[in-house]
Amino acid sequence: MVSKTDDIPASVPNCNPVDLADEQDGTQDSKETTKTPMKDSCSCGHSADTAVMNGGGAHEHTEEVESKQDGSGEADGGEESNEQEVIVIQDTGFTVKIQAPGTEPFDLQVSPQEMVQEIHQVLMDREDTCHRTCFSLQLDGNVLDNFAELKSIEGLQEGSLLKVVEEPYTVREARIHVRHIRDLLKSLDPSDAYNGVDCNSLSFLSIFTDGDLGDSGKRKKKGNELEQIDCTPPEHILPGSKERPLVPLQPQNKDWKPMQCLKVLTMSGWNPPPGNRKMHGDLMYLYMVTVEERHVSITASTRGFYLNQSTTYTFNPKPANPSFLSHSLVELLSQISPAFKKNFTALQKKRVQRHPFERIATPFQVYSWTAPQVDHAMDCVRAEDAYTSRLGYEEHIPGQTRDWNEELQTTRELARKNLPERLLRERAIFKVHSDFAAAATRGAMAVIDGNVMAINPGEETRMQMFIWNNIFFSLGFDVRDHYRELGGDAAAHAAPTNDLNGVRAYGAVDVEGLYTLGTVVVDYRGYRVTAQSIIPGILEREQEQSVIYGSIDFGKTVVSHTKYLELLEKTSRPLKVQRHGVLNEKNEAVELCSSVECKGIIGNDGRHYILDLLRTFPPDLNFLPVEGEELPPESQRQGFPRQHRHRLACLRQELIEAFVEHRYLLFMKMAALQLMQQKANKDTNKASVSEAPALPSTETSEMSTETNADATQTQTPKATEGSTDAPEADQTDDGKSAASQGTTANSEDSSKPITNGSLEPAATQNGECESPLEDPKSREVVLNACKAVGSVSNTSFDIRFNPDIFSPGVRFPEDSAEDVQKQKQLLKDAAAFLVSCQIPSLVKDCLDHSALPMDGATLTEALHQRGINVRYLGTVLEFVDKTPAKAQLEHFYRIGISELITRCAKHIFKTYLQGVELSALSAAVSHFLNCFLSSFPDAVAHLPPDELVSRRKNRKRRNRVPGGGDNTAWASLTPSELWKNIASEAQSYYHFTLQCESVDQVVEKYGLQKTTLLREISIKTGIQILIKEYNFDSRHKPAFTEEDILNIFPVVKHVNPKASDAFHFFQSGQAKVQQGFLKEGCELINEALNLFNNVYGAMHVEICACLRLLARLNYIMGDHPEALSNQQKAVLMSERVLGIEHPNTIQEYMHLALYCFANGQLSTALKLLYRARYLMLLVCGEDHPEMALLDSNIGLVLHGVMEYDLSLRFLENALAINTKYHGPRSLKVALSYHLVARVYESKAEFRSALQHEKEGYTIYKNQVGEAHEKTKESSEYLKYLTQQAVALQRTMNEIYKNGSNASIMPLKFTAPSMASVLEQLNIINGIIFIPLSQKDLENLKAEVQRRQQLQESGKIEEHTEDSPLELDDKIPIDD
């Protein structure tokens, strides 16, 4: 199979291939075949019985795996050089001594790349030096430059002594010091995480592990102490419980009861110091109240802090007596307040004990949708931030604003020739992006809250634009009828996200010399705000003058520019954009290499910017009815084309990639087929045989249906038959009959499987045609295949799209009419491909559990990975509804319905909120939630108290916040009206019919949970609610009051810059692991982890995936403590970066529980599993295939600690769920039966045990045959159970007969050994250890290498067809 490397799925990091591992349908028994092509290369060669064990699914996948495998091997090529470069970076670290005033010297490990500044950071975090901020580091009396790298400092070596020297304060330094002390005092206080400030977020893992897992290693003694573990879970976690409490979502952390060190710390009203005091060195004044109720005024001077004699009303700056001058505020306070000294020390001890991942800031803000009632405390730093932020300053840098555009573009221009340069560049890009996203979010909120003056204050509010902190803000409304033809406000609302996708795509291609704007889209309080960095000089000129490429009026006038064409040409291949001509207003043809709206502007800085990238990807014809155009039948059968809200519906980049990949396979098969036929012809010629006629076109149609095997249903062989007239037929070889040509091809076909080896000359890796196709026949073959698949080139496979097709107002030159026709056909084919291939393949993946969405976010991700837009949700649900196996897709259907309902509610909520003024916001939100979720039929809104409203009436209308009117229209919403609107929104937007008039009907009909709906709507709209138990079902009073709505947060979309090198290492590490080279894989993944840390800092989703895989490898290689430590980091990071109840976090909890169990920490393992079960119940309810895995885990652990009755409840639930979702014949179900039987055996209830084991045995026998070891094991166990049962019966009879003096045979009631429980745990979690001898390993390596060589020479297919590898089964498979 000739594999194309450039089509490796771009979005892998989000899908975390590792993740899929746990969601596999692997047989859970000894030999596993994975279902995700991303995963395991060994699924290609499994012996036949394995294939059967998976329901025969193994072979359909082999081909796909091969091509992908080649793809991921692509990184290996360039890797040798990479590894060399990496070694350069990791210069060995060395140790320096550090001497700070008043402390013992201590050793610090540093690395030569670090900057001096990083040592500063370490000192500001260490327990004994954390109260210092204003100091310099000196080596032999020379002050070190903060921004120098350590390796550049002369004389700094192993063992050097660095002195910490206190420096005089400036106003800035004094501010930073006060800020730092405030951060130390609040370091355990979670209120910043609740308020979504400063990239703080919540984490609760430490509550369940009682601190750090490493320390508590083996506290529990084995054996007799086991009984003391309390295993009973709370009632609501037990299977079958209907309660879904909210409060346990955020368990109370005892560390958070803050130890009070100070009552008040704030700026004094006497600031700023008057001139004469300034000349005495006063910088500012502080006011404090200690815990002992002592009120003090403090002067911050250049020499430090001291008490002065001022009071609240009299100013006396003279030092008090004694004045306690101290360089640090902490030292000063420790002298005047004993409580401060005691509590501060205790607080710092606790702070340092926390896992660093609990307190490091995340790169992007994560908001929590629930929070407890937090007391509002006086906080001078917050107050100051609120003030400076209104002025648009960046805090900590008084008086400076950042030039965001310059920062964003300069980082792009950094060198990137070798690995160290690339790392530096990527780190800079990532840092600036995350800072920009934070600033843009703050600015967008300020704009909507009315804190920013518009730059066009005379216009009506929806047309206003704003500049704050060098960022340009505009609202998502159709200003000046710009989008009138495209759908007005609906188009103006969709354009920013399309534009952001365009920015993301061009950013990923990363062409030197082509610049995009920093772009962030923020949805807040019902408004959509676009934040962009500002092109230098654009505000001084009119847009007409500055645009030198593209069109400002959707194609009526168009201009082009050679430099832009040259730059955009470089992006056209990766983005699949075709260079094309359009007509301008003078009917002249103008060359473009993007859509017409894409504008090129050269800034005053001489850089070439492109903006308005909203049509980077081609239009989606399923949602764009065009007069006189017919869609292919696959689309029409599904009821397309459909009217959409706007005309900007585009296909996703993932779909374009998948479509091109699909066409490439088609191209290869067609070309191969024709070459075979030619070869056959020559043979026929020699033998001059003529046989019965058989038409080749049937051959073709078979071919194309074969390619679509994965599309299961609908796809008809149109690509080959429809678009060309069976090209094979007109290719008669010098007049030989077409018939003979067909027959020999057939006979040839039967004798030998088609290999793609024969095509090597025709297409190299990229499908670029380089080989000398001197033979006119083969040239003709390629030409025909190109035509058939719609390639833009005639000599090689190259599919590109013209994004301007079907744009209103764009006209094409006459001479390109044929080309335009071809492009139209291509777009129709792509639209049909989405409906006929991608949607069925998503459903198929859900059926075989290689895709397991658990909530709205993971469902959306699953759709997006396959290139399906969310507007197809209704279509997907209808498809599921018609699937024969609908019962096994119930979980998917339910998640889809709740996603559809909450999205409709979100659309309504958006316009609902625009009509609410700020003072009524909480009342309006609670009213909306009541109408949406409460069973109370006549929810009445609480209007804000009257006297506030009436005074307003007589004021003149000033310039208000957008949309702020005196209207209380929102208060008239009723539940029945809202649900009517939701149903009509579902119909008009998703073309899906919801028959329901109230929330209770929906819950009843689709089996939804109200808490799940509440979570989904809150996350989508940014609502934060009070964490308490809500009574949704009361018919007498509404569930929510305005006091329950705590906050409303922005929902932010931005670009996520990638760490490309790290990601390549990660991929090649995965590939190595899949080939069974665990050690090498482990090294590569460790390397990837270092590089990720280098680019992203410590916290990031991708680092999470890396840690999870590392932990799994550590575990497989037998290093349990290391596995535990890595997995603990993965859980903490997942909680912090994705959210405490994100499905990935739930998965991480499950892995951690397994490693805890393996480490003998049983009670911790149980707590973690119970936590995971609680979260899963909250997020998606009990009826989900993943719940079966979780319950099997819980049941096994409970069995291990001899809690048999509890264990049975969980295992029987798992059995029921497995039977429902995997079908009664599945091997998973057989394993479930076996686990239940084992518990019954431990309870000595042999009859029940026998009954269950028999069921399991029957499944094994039918699925894998008598000879299989699983069947044998099961039959052995049945014999054993029968003996036990007979023995028990004898004993009972003996007792009946002889009464108390019966001689009783001792019965074997076995408590399961931990090892046997662990073995079963490994099996259900898809981890299998197979003992291998050294000789086996050698053979295995040789075999794998041989297969790799085969693969490279393109002959691997024959091998898999003929002799399945026996050896593969012996790898410790990580599935």
Side-chain angles (χ1 to χ4, degrees):
M1 173 149 280
V2 186
S3 149
K4 296 184 31 233
T5 51
D6 48 346
D7 278 276
I8 301 168
S11 61
V12 184
N14 328 349
C15 78
N16 296 340
V18 207
D19 227 309
L20 301 173
D22 327 335
E23 302 165 6
Q24 246 22 285
D25 163 282
T27 55
Q28 292 209 333
D29 302 308
S30 66
K31 306 193 185 81
E32 314 242 349
T33 316
T34 47
K35 291 276 191 177
T36 15
M38 276 298 319
K39 278 297 289 167
D40 212 348
S41 68
C42 47
S43 69
C44 353
H46 270 307
S47 51
D49 54 18
T50 328
V52 187
M53 288 181 73
N54 245 354
H59 282 306
E60 302 159 33
H61 279 277
T62 50
E63 239 172 19
E64 219 171 326
V65 174
E66 294 303 345
S67 75
K68 283 277 196 282
Q69 194 49 47
D70 246 35
S72 46
E74 160 253 2
D76 295 0
E79 207 171 276
E80 302 315 312
S81 55
N82 263 1
E83 286 180 26
Q84 290 332 139
E85 292 175 60
V86 173
I87 295 159
V88 181
I89 291 196
Q90 301 190 309
D91 294 339
T92 44
F94 57 95
T95 312
V96 292
K97 271 200 165 4
I98 295 200
Q99 162 100 58
T103 58
E104 293 294 306
F106 58 87
D107 288 342
L108 184 65
Q109 181 80 25
V110 291
S111 94
Q113 273 73 42
E114 284 181 21
M115 291 191 189
V116 176
Q117 200 184 5
E118 294 180 51
I119 302 184
H120 272 250
Q121 292 300 328
V122 172
L123 293 177
M124 283 165 64
D125 199 56
R126 266 183 71 99
E127 193 180 340
D128 48 359
T129 54
C130 64
H131 54 279
R132 303 182 180 284
T133 60
C134 187
F135 58 88
S136 61
L137 290 166
Q138 298 188 359
L139 175 64
D140 308 328
N142 300 326
V143 175
L144 305 185
D145 168 18
N146 251 346
F147 295 99
E149 289 195 337
L150 297 186
K151 60 177 176 220
S152 66
I153 294 169
E154 274 180 56
L156 183 64
Q157 61 208 32
E158 178 72 38
S160 295
L161 178 71
L162 291 178
K163 288 207 162 107
V164 173
V165 179
E166 298 176 342
E167 293 289 330
Y169 282 99
T170 59
V171 175
R172 178 165 182 267
E173 283 294 345
R175 273 172 192 275
I176 287 175
H177 185 75
V178 171
R179 199 171 260 283
H180 180 65
I181 300 304
R182 174 262 179 201
D183 287 343
L184 291 176
L185 293 176
K186 294 198 85 163
S187 54
L188 293 181
D189 178 5
S191 58
D192 280 359
Y194 289 128
N195 294 331
V197 195
D198 289 348
C199 290
N200 284 305
S201 57
L202 298 166
S203 161
F204 292 102
L205 175 65
S206 54
I207 295 179
F208 300 99
T209 55
D210 302 325
D212 192 11
L213 279 168
D215 312 340
S216 57
K218 290 263 190 291
R219 275 193 316 216
K220 301 274 181 295
K221 285 215 278 292
K222 291 276 175 68
N224 55 3
E225 286 198 16
L226 282 181
E227 289 76 54
Q228 289 156 24
I229 301 175
D230 176 31
C231 306
T232 13
E235 196 59 37
H236 60 261
I237 292 178
L238 287 173
S241 162
K242 286 284 169 271
E243 255 184 292
R244 296 284 180 268
L246 257 190
V247 174
L249 179 58
Q250 297 191 5
Q252 281 311 298
N253 189 334
K254 46 187 181 307
D255 285 353
W256 290 353
K257 291 281 170 284
M259 288 173 286
Q260 208 179 17
C261 301
L262 273 183
K263 286 206 166 158
V264 177
L265 154 64
T266 175
M267 298 291 166
S268 156
W270 297 117
N271 283 320
N276 64 330
R277 289 309 305 171
K278 230 186 203 154
M279 296 162 79
H280 279 86
D282 290 8
L283 302 171
M284 61 183 189
Y285 305 118
L286 303 170
Y287 170 70
M288 313 223 173
V289 182
T290 66
V291 180
E292 297 88 349
E293 277 296 329
R294 180 176 171 194
H295 294 239
V296 288
S297 267
I298 294 177
T299 300
S301 74
T302 48
R303 294 171 48 210
F305 297 85
Y306 61 85
L307 300 187
N308 62 36
Q309 296 178 26
S310 301
T311 63
T312 320
Y313 303 114
T314 54
F315 178 60
N316 181 355
K318 296 271 182 289
N321 195 8
S323 68
F324 297 121
L325 173 68
S326 314
H327 192 263
S328 138
L329 203 47
V330 171
E331 289 168 3
L332 173 67
L333 289 166
S334 300
Q335 286 175 311
I336 60 172
S337 162
F340 177 88
K341 187 173 182 177
K342 174 169 158 263
N343 289 349
F344 187 79
T345 319
L347 185 72
Q348 293 322 307
K349 275 214 168 30
K350 272 198 172 157
R351 178 180 70 89
V352 183
Q353 280 162 6
R354 290 178 72 192
H355 195 287
F357 283 4
E358 292 183 70
R359 48 204 181 95
I360 297 171
T362 58
F364 300 104
Q365 184 65 57
V366 178
Y367 299 102
S368 164
W369 63 279
T370 53
Q373 196 73 59
V374 182
D375 298 332
H376 189 54
M378 196 183 288
D379 185 339
C380 61
V381 174
R382 280 278 161 271
E384 185 187 26
D385 281 356
Y387 176 67
T388 52
S389 131
R390 202 166 67 233
L391 303 178
Y393 287 154
E394 204 43 38
E395 55 294 353
H396 322 327
I397 322 176
Q400 295 171 22
T401 58
R402 289 170 72 169
D403 184 341
W404 291 110
N405 191 65
E406 190 53 34
E407 288 190 37
L408 287 161
Q409 312 311 349
T410 320
T411 51
R412 287 237 171 249
E413 286 165 352
L414 293 172
R416 43 168 145 175
K417 286 191 283 299
N418 53 26
L419 187 68
E421 286 185 351
R422 283 196 298 273
L423 286 177
L424 222 117
R425 174 175 185 264
E426 286 177 342
R427 178 186 342 186
I429 289 176
F430 184 75
K431 181 78 187 97
V432 175
H433 265 283
S434 68
D435 287 357
F436 177 69
T441 308
R442 268 210 318 278
M445 291 169 72
V447 163
I448 297 300
D449 288 338
N451 290 341
V452 183
M453 178 78 177
I455 52 178
N456 51 344
E459 310 254 6
E460 64 163 305
T461 41
R462 45 186 290 143
M463 295 173 74
Q464 289 178 350
M465 292 167 280
F466 305 83
I467 289 180
W468 176 92
N469 195 349
N470 281 331
I471 306 175
F472 173 78
F473 296 92
S474 54
L475 299 171
F477 292 115
D478 184 12
V479 179
R480 303 191 184 80
D481 287 342
H482 185 59
Y483 291 107
R484 193 175 64 208
E485 293 181 359
L486 297 168
D489 278 349
H493 190 265
T497 44
N498 279 7
D499 185 32
L500 181 65
N501 290 334
V503 171
R504 191 176 287 136
Y506 278 101
V509 176
D510 213 357
V511 168
E512 224 163 305
L514 187 65
Y515 298 91
T516 54
L517 301 183
T519 308
V520 174
V521 179
V522 180
D523 287 298
Y524 177 61
R525 285 181 47 195
Y527 295 95
R528 172 158 284 181
V529 186
T530 311
Q532 290 169 311
S533 61
I534 301 171
I535 299 178
I538 189 160
L539 297 167
E540 288 100 77
R541 324 174 259 191
E542 274 299 307
Q543 207 182 14
E544 281 78 16
Q545 303 156 13
S546 32
V547 172
I548 57 163
Y549 170 90
S551 161
I552 54 171
D553 47 19
F554 290 105
K556 293 184 186 59
T557 52
V558 192
V559 284
S560 187
H561 188 275
T562 46
K563 179 67 178 163
Y564 270 104
L565 281 173
E566 175 200 327
L567 287 168
L568 287 166
E569 187 64 57
K570 295 178 188 163
T571 65
S572 76
R573 187 175 181 86
L575 295 180
K576 318 273 187 285
V577 175
Q578 192 193 9
R579 188 166 171 163
H580 58 279
V582 298
L583 294 175
N584 64 10
E585 71 286 8
K586 304 193 190 83
N587 282 338
E588 301 155 351
V590 177
E591 277 280 295
L592 293 178
C593 195
S594 64
S595 66
V596 287
E597 300 83 8
C598 168
K599 303 172 191 37
I601 296 180
I602 299 183
N604 284 359
D605 53 2
R607 295 188 177 108
H608 291 77
Y609 293 92
I610 49 171
L611 54 153
D612 286 350
L613 307 174
L614 50 141
R615 278 191 200 267
T616 303
F617 299 111
D620 177 356
L621 295 193
N622 287 332
F623 283 93
L624 188 70
V626 181
E627 271 180 43
E629 295 289 347
E630 284 273 298
L631 283 187
E634 300 89 332
S635 288
Q636 290 188 8
R637 276 201 292 277
Q638 302 278 344
F640 292 111
R642 291 176 176 164
Q643 203 61 52
H644 198 51
R645 295 275 155 86
H646 53 78
R647 303 178 61 88
L648 291 179
C650 293
L651 297 170
R652 293 185 65 84
Q653 189 171 9
E654 297 92 336
L655 184 87
I656 302 294
E657 302 282 337
F659 177 69
V660 171
E661 176 80 16
H662 170 79
R663 280 286 159 107
Y664 180 67
L665 287 173
L666 205 60
F667 169 82
M668 297 302 287
K669 293 204 168 172
M670 289 181 64
L673 186 74
Q674 292 177 42
L675 284 171
M676 307 254 320
Q677 290 179 340
Q678 282 186 2
K679 187 163 158 257
N681 264 352
K682 285 175 189 144
D683 299 352
T684 335
N685 222 6
K686 288 173 199 149
S688 69
V689 181
S690 179
E691 295 175 22
L695 274 178
S697 72
T698 56
E699 178 77 39
T700 329
S701 78
E702 274 173 43
M703 278 296 336
S704 107
T705 31
E706 187 187 331
T707 2
N708 293 332
D710 50 350
T712 51
Q713 275 90 348
T714 56
Q715 176 88 314
T716 57
K718 65 159 187 322
T720 27
E721 289 175 339
S723 31
T724 71
D725 295 318
E728 292 79 352
D730 25 47
Q731 228 179 281
T732 43
D733 226 345
D734 311 328
K736 278 172 262 355
S737 77
S740 66
Q741 193 185 329
T743 38
T744 36
N746 272 341
S747 55
E748 170 91 19
D749 195 286
S750 55
S751 64
K752 156 177 179 290
I754 299 178
T755 69
N756 289 336
S758 55
L759 230 161
E760 283 294 11
T764 60
Q765 281 296 56
N766 291 346
E768 278 285 12
C769 184
E770 288 160 12
S771 65
L773 282 176
E774 299 315 294
D775 173 15
K777 290 286 177 292
S778 20
R779 208 175 301 140
E780 194 178 358
V781 166
V782 173
L783 173 72
N784 283 321
C786 282
K787 274 190 185 160
V789 295
S791 164
V792 292
S793 141
N794 283 336
T795 53
S796 68
F797 174 83
D798 186 3
I799 284 190
R800 306 191 191 190
F801 293 88
N802 174 345
D804 283 333
I805 301 276
F806 298 128
S807 290
V810 176
R811 299 169 307 142
F812 297 100
E814 292 295 308
D815 54 5
S816 61
E818 183 191 345
D819 199 37
V820 168
Q821 215 32 59
K822 249 167 88 172
Q823 282 292 335
K824 287 184 176 177
Q825 188 53 48
L826 205 53
L827 282 180
K828 292 174 185 176
D829 292 348
F833 171 74
L834 195 160
V835 178
S836 60
C837 279
Q838 295 306 83
I839 291 180
S841 91
L842 166 72
V843 173
K844 179 171 161 292
D845 287 346
C846 289
L847 266 176
D848 62 26
H849 303 279
S850 53
L852 259 188
M854 227 186 260
D855 68 343
T858 43
L859 171 71
T860 308
E861 205 175 287
L863 288 168
H864 285 171
Q865 271 165 27
R866 289 161 184 77
I868 305 168
N869 310 68
V870 178
R871 60 175 170 271
Y872 284 95
L873 188 54
T875 315
V876 173
L877 290 175
E878 276 169 8
F879 185 86
V880 170
D881 209 17
K882 296 192 186 100
T883 310
K886 186 186 167 192
Q888 292 182 25
L889 289 167
E890 225 172 89
H891 63 293
F892 180 79
Y893 193 70
R894 188 180 315 110
I895 293 165
I897 289 283
S898 85
E899 180 69 353
L900 188 134
I901 289 174
T902 42
R903 277 176 183 265
C904 291
K906 178 186 81 173
H907 296 171
I908 296 164
F909 186 64
K910 188 185 75 200
T911 41
Y912 172 86
L913 268 194
Q914 289 176 7
V916 179
E917 60 173 13
L918 195 49
S919 61
L921 207 52
S922 54
V925 173
S926 63
H927 179 59
F928 184 89
L929 287 178
N930 281 329
C931 293
F932 183 47
L933 292 173
S934 178
S935 306
F936 181 55
D938 29 319
V940 181
H942 300 278
L943 286 172
D946 200 37
E947 78 280 10
L948 289 177
V949 179
S950 58
R951 287 235 308 282
R952 272 236 125 100
K953 295 275 197 304
N954 45 27
R955 291 235 199 106
K956 290 200 176 60
R957 182 171 175 283
R958 289 235 198 91
N959 196 359
R960 292 233 194 86
V961 187
D966 288 325
N967 50 11
T968 47
W970 58 268
S972 58
L973 185 71
T974 65
S976 60
E977 183 191 353
L978 174 62
W979 279 97
K980 260 199 205 70
N981 292 347
I982 288 176
S984 72
E985 180 73 7
Q987 189 58 57
S988 70
Y989 194 89
Y990 296 105
H991 302 271
F992 187 81
T993 316
L994 281 175
Q995 292 109 353
C996 50
E997 281 141 37
S998 71
V999 67
D1000 295 324
Q1001 271 184 333
V1002 172
V1003 167
E1004 184 59 37
K1005 179 170 176 183
Y1006 298 108
L1008 307 181
Q1009 310 183 140
K1010 287 187 176 179
T1011 41
T1012 304
L1013 290 172
L1014 175 64
R1015 171 178 178 266
E1016 293 285 355
I1017 188 84
S1018 302
I1019 290 172
K1020 284 181 183 45
T1021 54
I1023 300 170
Q1024 186 185 53
I1025 60 163
L1026 180 63
I1027 188 160
K1028 67 171 204 188
E1029 299 316 340
Y1030 290 97
N1031 181 1
F1032 297 110
D1033 300 331
S1034 157
R1035 304 197 63 77
H1036 308 297
K1037 68 177 206 304
F1040 299 90
T1041 68
E1042 52 191 288
E1043 299 307 310
D1044 297 330
I1045 311 299
L1046 298 183
N1047 211 335
I1048 191 153
F1049 290 125
V1051 177
V1052 186
K1053 299 180 179 68
H1054 54 79
V1055 178
N1056 271 316
K1058 293 273 169 269
S1060 51
D1061 289 285
F1063 186 56
H1064 281 309
F1065 272 99
F1066 183 63
Q1067 276 187 315
S1068 23
Q1070 277 185 313
K1072 283 270 188 275
V1073 170
Q1074 287 157 10
Q1075 293 157 10
F1077 301 119
L1078 299 184
K1079 196 119 188 71
E1080 293 91 323
C1082 213
E1083 281 162 17
L1084 281 168
I1085 284 164
N1086 262 314
E1087 201 43 73
L1089 187 63
N1090 286 336
L1091 300 185
F1092 276 136
N1093 277 320
N1094 222 313
V1095 174
Y1096 296 141
M1099 282 285 190
H1100 196 273
V1101 188
E1102 286 168 36
I1103 300 181
C1104 210
C1106 222
L1107 286 166
R1108 176 199 313 119
L1109 187 54
L1110 259 184
R1112 205 160 170 102
L1113 287 173
N1114 296 141
Y1115 183 68
I1116 288 175
M1117 287 153 67
D1119 186 350
H1120 293 179
E1122 189 59 19
L1124 199 59
S1125 147
N1126 279 326
Q1127 188 57 33
Q1128 181 186 8
K1129 290 179 193 158
V1131 176
L1132 284 170
M1133 199 174 297
S1134 186
E1135 288 194 303
R1136 295 281 322 277
V1137 180
L1138 291 168
I1140 51 174
E1141 80 296 17
H1142 189 279
N1144 288 22
T1145 309
I1146 302 178
Q1147 300 274 348
E1148 305 295 9
Y1149 264 100
M1150 284 164 65
H1151 298 318
L1152 184 60
L1154 173 65
Y1155 308 152
C1156 275
F1157 186 89
N1159 259 323
Q1161 304 179 12
L1162 308 189
S1163 64
T1164 306
L1166 258 182
K1167 278 187 207 161
L1168 295 170
L1169 286 168
Y1170 286 155
R1171 172 68 172 169
R1173 191 171 208 274
Y1174 166 73
L1175 294 175
M1176 206 191 292
L1177 286 173
L1178 184 77
V1179 168
C1180 65
E1182 194 162 56
D1183 187 16
H1184 191 281
E1186 196 68 351
M1187 193 54 97
L1189 176 60
L1190 185 48
D1191 282 354
S1192 305
N1193 274 305
I1194 295 177
L1196 273 165
V1197 175
L1198 287 168
H1199 186 195
V1201 297
M1202 302 191 292
E1203 286 278 350
Y1204 302 134
D1205 292 333
L1206 258 180
S1207 168
L1208 272 179
R1209 286 184 71 169
F1210 286 100
L1211 288 175
E1212 284 178 333
N1213 192 48
L1215 172 62
I1217 294 177
N1218 272 333
T1219 313
K1220 173 172 176 179
Y1221 285 110
H1222 293 274
R1225 320 238 43 74
S1226 149
L1227 295 161
K1228 279 209 154 125
V1229 176
L1231 183 61
S1232 266
Y1233 275 121
H1234 174 63
L1235 297 180
V1236 175
R1238 285 182 40 168
V1239 182
Y1240 276 123
E1241 180 216 338
S1242 300
K1243 290 181 67 180
E1245 294 181 21
F1246 297 111
R1247 184 168 297 159
S1248 306
L1250 271 167
Q1251 186 186 337
H1252 282 90
E1253 189 58 37
K1254 265 188 197 133
E1255 294 281 352
Y1257 172 72
T1258 318
I1259 296 176
Y1260 284 130
K1261 194 173 77 177
N1262 294 341
Q1263 297 290 351
V1264 294
E1266 295 275 4
H1268 194 278
E1269 58 176 312
K1270 277 284 149 199
T1271 323
K1272 288 182 189 150
E1273 273 173 29
S1274 181
S1275 108
E1276 287 300 307
Y1277 187 55
L1278 275 173
K1279 279 184 199 139
Y1280 166 74
L1281 284 176
T1282 319
Q1283 286 162 9
Q1284 289 294 81
V1286 170
L1288 178 67
Q1289 200 52 51
R1290 276 206 200 107
T1291 313
M1292 299 307 282
N1293 294 346
E1294 181 76 13
I1295 292 173
Y1296 283 136
K1297 207 160 64 202
N1298 300 345
S1300 56
N1301 54 2
S1303 60
I1304 299 177
M1305 285 278 297
L1307 269 178
K1308 288 192 293 188
F1309 288 132
T1310 48
S1313 71
M1314 283 304 140
S1316 75
V1317 173
L1318 187 58
E1319 184 191 351
Q1320 296 293 339
L1321 275 172
N1322 286 331
I1323 290 176
I1324 61 170
N1325 288 296
I1327 298 177
I1328 285 134
F1329 300 93
I1330 297 166
L1332 289 180
S1333 67
Q1334 203 45 46
K1335 190 162 147 283
D1336 280 344
L1337 279 171
E1338 298 304 313
N1339 293 347
L1340 193 65
K1341 278 206 170 139
E1343 183 58 56
V1344 171
Q1345 275 160 356
R1346 189 171 77 84
R1347 285 187 41 221
Q1348 270 176 313
Q1349 283 157 7
L1350 277 175
Q1351 204 166 324
E1352 276 144 29
S1353 61
K1355 302 207 181 65
I1356 190 81
E1357 248 107 337
E1358 303 164 50
H1359 180 78
T1360 38
E1361 307 274 324
D1362 309 341
S1363 57
L1365 277 177
E1366 306 303 323
L1367 259 167
D1368 265 18
D1369 309 329
K1370 302 223 177 71
I1371 300 181
I1373 299 157
D1374 168 22
D1375 164 64

